[in-house]
Amino acid sequence: MATVLYITANPHDDEKSYSMLVGKEFIHAYRSANPNDEVIHLDLYETDIPQLDKDVFSGWGKLKEGIAFENLTDSEKMKVGRIGQLVDQFVAADKYVFATPIWNYSYPPVVKSYIDSICIAGKTFKYLPDIGRVGLLSDKKAVHIQASGSFLSSGSDDAELEMAHRHLKVIMDFVGVPSFEGIFVEGMAAKPEQEPAIKEKAIQQAREVASRF
């Protein structure tokens, strides 16, 4: 049995959000193909994700010096402990499904905060003296479902402006995830007359990818 971490970052539900709609279809198809697997939905808008702030860096510094976790301040314990929970959940999963919208050429800020919480040395990557950085999640796979009103995927005229899927690919490489692909729901604002066809194409792609994920 595999564990799928379904990570969404949209304040809207699947009736108003294309990324959430296609994500819902993906998960439904995945569950049909893998009825014994566990799917955990992590809604980043309903999740406590600490910012990397003074308390976090101070707490990490104290732990590195050998100070016990119990001796951190209350704020340090709360934030450092929560980041530990998030990265442990990420490491424990076998597969990742991200569903995000494009806002101003990138994803919502909450996604970056989450990424910061799971890029932890010793948990998802490490540095070796003669090799350098090594990702530790080499047995995982990931899919990114991304919705945008304009055309931003590879091959489009504005592909170089896109900073979400490309960044997530860098992060998956960083932590060692060897299999990463994208499903793009795009162009609804640029070509509103094609909106139904765009949506249906993305749903069909999501079902196909889910069946072999």
Side-chain angles (χ1 to χ4, degrees):
M1 185 182 80
T3 299
V4 178
L5 190 56
Y6 176 43
I7 304 157
T8 63
N10 202 305
H12 299 301
D13 59 21
D14 57 90
E15 293 186 358
K16 294 183 178 180
S17 162
Y18 287 99
S19 60
M20 295 294 286
L21 172 64
V22 177
K24 178 182 177 180
E25 293 290 339
F26 182 101
I27 294 300
H28 179 73
Y30 182 87
R31 282 182 165 140
S32 295
N34 305 274
N36 295 322
D37 287 3
E38 179 184 17
V39 177
I40 299 171
H41 183 193
L42 182 63
D43 181 346
L44 298 186
Y45 273 92
E46 299 294 331
T47 301
D48 173 26
I49 305 175
Q51 299 284 321
L52 297 189
D53 62 9
K54 179 176 65 177
D55 291 326
V56 172
F57 286 114
S58 175
W60 282 344
K62 290 177 182 178
L63 292 176
K64 189 174 181 180
E65 292 172 0
I67 296 174
F69 180 82
E70 292 73 19
N71 293 328
L72 303 183
T73 68
D74 289 342
S75 292
E76 290 168 348
K77 284 190 288 189
M78 180 180 66
K79 296 174 183 179
V80 170
R82 179 56 183 155
I83 288 174
Q85 292 172 350
L86 289 169
V87 69
D88 285 346
Q89 180 188 52
F90 193 81
V91 170
D94 302 292
K95 306 174 184 180
Y96 314 110
V97 180
F98 296 85
T100 67
I102 280 284
W103 291 357
N104 302 318
Y105 299 111
S106 188
Y107 31 47
V110 68
V111 182
K112 179 58 167 60
S113 294
Y114 180 69
I115 287 172
D116 288 340
S117 75
I118 58 94
C119 290
I120 304 297
K123 296 280 190 175
T124 53
F125 70 94
K126 64 181 178 180
Y127 286 101
L128 298 178
D130 299 327
I131 300 176
R133 187 266 308 164
V134 176
L136 300 178
L137 305 183
S138 59
D139 57 344
K140 318 290 187 179
K141 58 172 62 175
V143 167
H144 180 208
I145 299 166
Q146 177 170 284
S148 60
S150 55
F151 294 97
L152 295 172
S153 62
S154 178
S156 65
D157 291 342
D158 291 332
E160 74 280 359
L161 301 177
E162 193 275 325
M163 297 295 179
H165 182 74
R166 290 195 295 162
H167 181 245
L168 192 55
K169 182 181 186 307
V170 169
I171 296 300
M172 292 299 102
D173 288 342
F174 180 70
V175 298
V177 176
S179 174
F180 178 68
E181 57 185 306
I183 298 171
F184 302 98
V185 199
E186 59 180 0
M188 291 80 69
K191 296 187 176 182
E193 72 282 0
Q194 296 182 18
E195 184 176 345
I198 291 170
K199 179 174 69 175
E200 185 59 30
K201 179 181 178 182
I203 289 173
Q204 291 303 319
Q205 184 184 3
R207 290 172 177 166
E208 187 277 323
V209 173
S211 68
R212 56 176 170 78
F213 187 56

